[in-house]
Amino acid sequence: LRIQSCLIAILTVWRSWSTNFFLIGSLYGIPERLATTVPVIALLFISQLLCLYRRELFPKAEEAQRGLARLDANVQGIFSILGGFLLAILLFFEVRGNLLTVAWTIEGLGLMAAGFLLRDRTLRLSGLGLFAVCLFKVFVIDLRGLETIYRIFSFILLGIILLLVSFAYTKYKDLIKRYI
């Protein structure tokens, strides 16, 4: 049944991505895009939390060698990735301009915070992946329209941030490796 639920979740995300994001009507005053997609995202994260809560019922990833057993062992991570992906796509359709980067950054922070609180590696890595997408978007798309002086300040600020991150990583390397 868990494997069936995982396959249904994948098909639901596919349908949301291919159909629900292009709806333009309203359902009881709520845009159809939100009314049909937000419950799917909520249910995906609830399913992931239920899998975390009942972790002992799942086979260990090391024991699952092939096919459906491997899918069954990683179903919690699949729900997490699908929920984060669908939320990022929903934000892409709902938020415009440079605010999209801010929205994705907030989502990434939320995923990372949830990953640390729930001790879930998949959520933490999803948040880090979304941060990487945000950095790429900022420096390839968002900074393209800025004047030269603002670009220079942005790159200096990025350099300072990267230096601080590398300093923190070298100082707390063992602690960080435990969490990531």
Side-chain angles (χ1 to χ4, degrees):
L1 290 175
R2 287 192 302 256
I3 294 169
Q4 288 175 351
S5 69
C6 183
L7 294 175
I8 288 171
I10 291 169
L11 291 174
T12 305
V13 168
W14 176 260
R15 189 208 187 269
S16 293
W17 187 15
S18 64
T19 305
N20 294 358
F21 288 130
F22 302 105
L23 298 174
I24 55 173
S26 71
L27 184 66
Y28 300 111
I30 301 171
E32 276 184 305
R33 180 183 301 158
L34 293 175
T36 57
T37 307
V38 170
V40 173
I41 294 168
L43 288 173
L44 285 168
F45 282 122
I46 289 170
S47 299
Q48 186 251 345
L49 285 174
L50 289 174
C51 290
L52 277 174
Y53 178 68
R54 301 298 300 248
R55 213 180 280 200
E56 70 277 357
L57 297 178
F58 292 89
K60 302 288 184 226
E62 300 85 31
E63 298 170 5
Q65 297 297 321
R66 298 180 181 207
L68 295 179
R70 177 169 268 170
L71 180 70
D72 191 29
N74 296 313
V75 71
Q76 171 265 327
I78 292 170
F79 287 144
S80 171
I81 290 170
L82 289 175
F85 173 75
L86 201 58
L87 181 58
I89 298 299
L90 179 65
L91 289 174
F92 175 78
F93 281 103
E94 289 296 318
V95 180
R96 297 287 176 217
N98 291 340
L99 289 179
L100 176 62
T101 308
V102 173
W104 278 351
T105 303
I106 292 170
E107 180 189 354
L109 281 173
L111 289 172
M112 283 187 58
F116 282 117
L117 288 173
L118 298 172
R119 297 180 184 178
D120 182 28
R121 185 172 191 251
T122 306
L123 282 173
R124 290 191 302 264
L125 292 178
S126 296
L128 285 174
L130 198 54
F131 279 137
V133 169
C134 288
L135 271 175
F136 180 77
K137 182 182 178 302
V138 163
F139 287 103
V140 171
I141 297 170
D142 294 345
L143 288 181
R144 184 177 53 199
L146 290 179
E147 295 179 23
T148 306
I149 190 71
Y150 295 118
R151 276 192 224 166
I152 291 170
F153 286 132
S154 297
F155 283 116
I156 289 172
L157 183 63
L158 176 68
I160 291 170
I161 290 171
L162 291 176
L163 283 172
L164 290 174
V165 167
S166 67
F167 173 74
Y169 180 76
T170 56
K171 185 170 182 166
Y172 302 108
K173 181 173 39 173
D174 297 330
L175 181 66
I176 292 171
K177 280 185 180 181
R178 225 177 39 205
Y179 284 109
I180 294 180

